[in-house]
Amino acid sequence: MTKKKINKSSGTNRNRELDEKKIGVLTSGGDCPGLNAVLRGIVRKSLEYDYKIIGILNGWKGIFDEDYMILGMKEVSGIINRGGTIIGTSRFNPFTEKDGSSILLEKMKMADFDVLICIGGEGSMHIAHQAHKAGIKVIGVPKTIDNDIYGTDFTFGFDTAVGIATEAIDRLHTTAESHHRVMVVEVMGRNAGWIALYSGIGGGADVVAIPERKVSIEHMIDVIRNRYIRGKRFSIIVVAEGCQFSSDDFKNVKFDTKNVKLDDFGRPRLGGISHYLAEEIEARSGFETRATILGHLQRGGMPSAFDRVLGTRFGVYSVDMVREKKFGKMCAIQGNKITEIPLSKAISKLKTVDLEIYKVAQVFFS
Ligand code: F6P
């Protein structure tokens, strides 16, 4: 059966079920390296199907603000190696706004988008799922340095962040060794320890602390002391920002669990645990200890080759998902094959660290 060709500019009689032509694309949540590679992949693949790609500026907020830009060959030329996102991002959630759902639907209609591609992390996939339930044709593309989205082996951004953190650990090694110090290196990752685990193994850390498995401060100090006895007068401890400690864990330091600020998605903003740990380790053990928080450095700058390739594969695949009407789904990589899973599954839980890999890191905690 031949498909009816639709002229989208012919006004109100368009049959939306037969074809999609105008695709709105947004990047939502924290930026990460590889977003521009996805945008480039989407635009270039869309040429094949004659889709018009509209960049929605600053995440979901752009729909409310009606802030758009056409994304064509020119706009995506030369951006594969650029960090961040050329269309901006935010943690704006339309569904927490007053009358948000109806405003969103109204604005979608005004913009005349047939499909939305939402490139985002875990919080953004929740919004995408809600939008899908509200009747919008949505496709999700998973991004985040945290690598915590369920159903995909990797998210782009993670590899770059791990590379940056590993290099930082290498650099901290030389200064730690020179001064005979303990270095506590804090990495991002929210409630998943992926960045800590991979950079800790890659950088040869002596202890890796992740949210999924508690390591006592006493155990950290035992490792530092054992190393000292073996002639290693410095140690590197990698700690994930989301590691949970209670005030009982700290005997010398006043551990402040109050005054937690929230991000725009309403989640606690993390960061700072390394300062408490460094002070406590120094007070209990007598070893001079310093804390380094890598922070947003892990998200900035050029994407690694891996993230460029993964971002490009996701971008290209998501356009095929539009073509095949795979709405309400998120593309994913499983065993180096790009596939898709329902958004409902992707948001059903967090992908926390594979504890088999953590056992590998533990071999070196001695
Ligand atoms: O989700 C990515 C991430 O970088 C987390 O690892 C971190 O906790 C958070 O975003 C930081 O957010 P913000 O950029 O709002 O400080």
Side-chain angles (χ1 to χ4, degrees), residues 30-31 91 143-146 188-190 195 241 263 267 269-270 296 299:
D31 70 320
R91 288 210 172 87
K143 70 89 220 184
T144 169
I145 62 165
D146 304 339
M188 283 184 165
R190 291 204 63 78
I195 301 177
E241 62 176 2
D263 69 14
R267 305 171 308 183
R269 276 175 63 189
L270 303 175
H296 293 85
R299 274 193 358 217

